[in-house]
Amino acid sequence: MTAPTAPNDGLISPDLPVLTRKDFVTDQEVRWCPGCGDYSILAQMQKMLPELGIPREQIVFISGIGCSSRFPYYVNTYGFHSIHGRAPTIATGLKTARPELTVFVITGDGDGLSIGGNHLLHAMRRNVDLNIILFNNRIYGLTKGQYSPTSEFGKITKSSPYGTTERPLNPIRIALAAGATFVARSVDRDTRHLEEMLYRAAKHRGVSFVEVYQNCNIFNDGAFAAFAEKEVRADRMIYLEHGKPLRFGKENQHGIRLNGFTPEIVENATTDEGLLVHDAHTENITLANILVGMDYPDFPVPIGVFRDVDAPTFDQLVQQQVEEAMAKGKGSLEAVLRAGETWVVE
């Protein structure tokens, strides 16, 4: 089951000039290793942005540190290449001060889940209206191949010559636990699906978190090949679609059911009866967490939207407070400075 390309939903204003992918391409030399999965993510982002119908000057990309964080140089919008792990915080400040902007946060598994873990967590729990795209290649690529927070247990790298002794973080599980209102996963090699996930994230009102399985062909080549290659993905990935039973296989012949809280594969399911029906709009994250726990090779890897719910946004609530305070009339800065306990130093 392949997801459709991101649609033009008719929200593009007729008063705006028609933009194309070329309008979002800069004159900067793209400096990633040949064959890197980042190229695919950049291409799908540039294809998707015109569909939003937003002027380029109202779009901002903010990144941290890492290979993925070169992204703002390559998209012809405003951008900010910030410091290690702090992109969500800087983006929160910008969105709060300029709520009319569409703000993307570009980060990686090292940048966002190690030094930036705390900042990422709080941006999601606050439901700031940000679009967080996390490139997950399960390795530190820019610093030449050390293990990252998402590297598999026992993985041998330059910084773990005898194998890692740490359990990996699951980015989707973290996003769900933090209360992110839109949580999705895609893969760099399924370009149609990736474009739609980026589009749906951008259209969501509130924090959106998209994990992208991204191949680092220099330091962790083939990390996702066992299930993401075109020849095998129909049997080894399962596309989540709200309101539809979970099916996979070249002919959608297999399904997933629950035995209590334990998922089971139903081979050659002739009917949908008893199959698990995906619900992305429920406030209860139990189902989404069950899906996150389906790991290859025991199960097909779920990609798509795990959660998509509505909730007031942080920036919206702050703006309401500002408007309510302003409605009370002009205040006095002098009075504020001299209020409470004050003293004079002679």
Side-chain angles (χ1 to χ4, degrees):
M1 187 182 301
T2 303
T5 307
N8 178 339
D9 59 8
L11 296 181
I12 297 179
S13 171
D15 299 326
L16 294 174
V18 177
L19 300 176
T20 67
R21 174 184 174 183
K22 291 183 179 180
D23 293 306
F24 290 94
V25 177
T26 70
D27 60 358
Q28 299 296 299
E29 178 187 1
V30 181
R31 303 190 65 182
W32 288 317
C33 301
C36 176
D38 289 2
Y39 286 97
S40 173
I41 304 173
L42 174 63
Q44 307 324 308
M45 181 68 76
Q46 290 169 332
K47 287 171 60 179
M48 180 277 295
L49 288 173
E51 297 291 336
L52 297 178
I54 301 172
R56 289 179 298 178
E57 60 270 20
Q58 291 185 12
I59 301 173
V60 184
F61 282 83
I62 298 179
S63 64
I65 297 297
C67 295
S68 64
S69 294
R70 293 173 176 156
F71 213 87
Y73 297 104
Y74 308 145
V75 186
N76 194 13
T77 62
Y78 284 108
F80 193 145
H81 191 170
S82 70
I83 56 179
H84 205 185
R86 271 64 175 185
T89 302
I90 294 171
T92 297
L94 176 62
K95 184 64 181 182
T96 305
R98 295 287 304 279
E100 77 278 10
L101 298 178
T102 296
V103 182
F104 289 86
V105 174
I106 304 296
T107 187
D109 49 309
D111 178 65
L113 295 175
S114 56
I115 191 171
N118 184 56
H119 301 269
L120 182 68
L121 183 73
H122 291 296
M124 291 192 292
R125 79 169 178 86
R126 289 172 176 143
N127 195 33
V128 188
D129 188 19
L130 303 173
N131 308 299
I132 302 171
I133 316 300
L134 186 139
F135 297 32
N136 183 8
N137 55 23
R138 294 179 177 171
I139 203 75
Y140 276 104
L142 187 65
T143 52
K144 308 299 186 289
Q146 301 87 352
Y147 73 91
S148 83
T150 59
S151 295
E152 310 93 306
F153 180 80
K155 187 174 183 62
I156 296 175
T157 71
K158 292 180 178 180
S159 57
S160 56
Y162 299 105
T164 61
T165 56
E166 302 174 12
R167 300 289 179 182
L169 289 175
N170 187 309
I172 299 293
R173 197 181 296 278
I174 291 174
L176 292 170
T181 51
F182 183 94
V183 182
R185 175 192 286 155
S186 193
V187 59
D188 57 3
R189 302 196 177 195
D190 192 340
T191 56
R192 293 181 63 197
H193 185 268
L194 175 57
E195 183 187 354
E196 181 177 358
M197 292 302 102
L198 295 176
Y199 178 84
R200 292 179 64 179
K203 300 300 289 187
H204 177 75
R205 176 67 171 167
V207 69
S208 59
F209 177 85
V210 181
E211 175 192 23
V212 183
Y213 284 150
Q214 172 256 321
N215 190 52
C216 175
N217 59 314
I218 303 300
F219 297 109
N220 199 21
D221 193 23
F224 312 108
F227 56 82
E229 291 290 351
K230 186 175 182 179
E231 296 76 16
V232 299
R233 69 175 63 140
D235 290 321
R236 299 177 185 176
M237 293 200 308
I238 188 164
Y239 291 86
L240 305 177
E241 296 184 72
H242 174 73
K244 294 187 178 181
L246 269 63
R247 282 187 169 273
F248 67 100
K250 291 183 174 61
E251 299 178 358
N252 284 331
Q253 69 272 31
H254 308 309
I256 301 291
R257 68 185 176 196
L258 284 183
N259 182 1
F261 290 102
T262 303
E264 296 178 339
I265 293 177
V266 181
E267 296 186 356
N268 299 314
T270 56
T271 70
D272 292 337
E273 185 177 355
L275 297 184
L276 178 59
V277 176
H278 183 47
D279 185 356
H281 300 325
T282 177
E283 292 288 345
N284 191 324
I285 63 172
T286 301
L287 172 60
N289 272 313
I290 291 173
L291 297 176
V292 173
M294 296 198 316
D295 294 323
Y296 181 82
D298 296 326
F299 293 94
V301 175
I303 67 170
V305 178
F306 290 79
R307 188 172 195 241
D308 183 2
V309 298
D310 294 323
T313 67
F314 174 83
D315 43 292
Q316 180 185 34
L317 295 173
V318 169
Q319 189 64 30
Q320 288 177 0
Q321 289 184 341
V322 171
E323 293 172 356
E324 290 170 1
M326 292 176 64
K328 295 178 181 179
K330 292 184 178 180
S332 169
L333 181 59
E334 180 70 16
V336 171
L337 292 175
R338 296 184 178 279
E341 298 181 6
T342 61
W343 62 93
V344 177
V345 178
E346 299 292 345

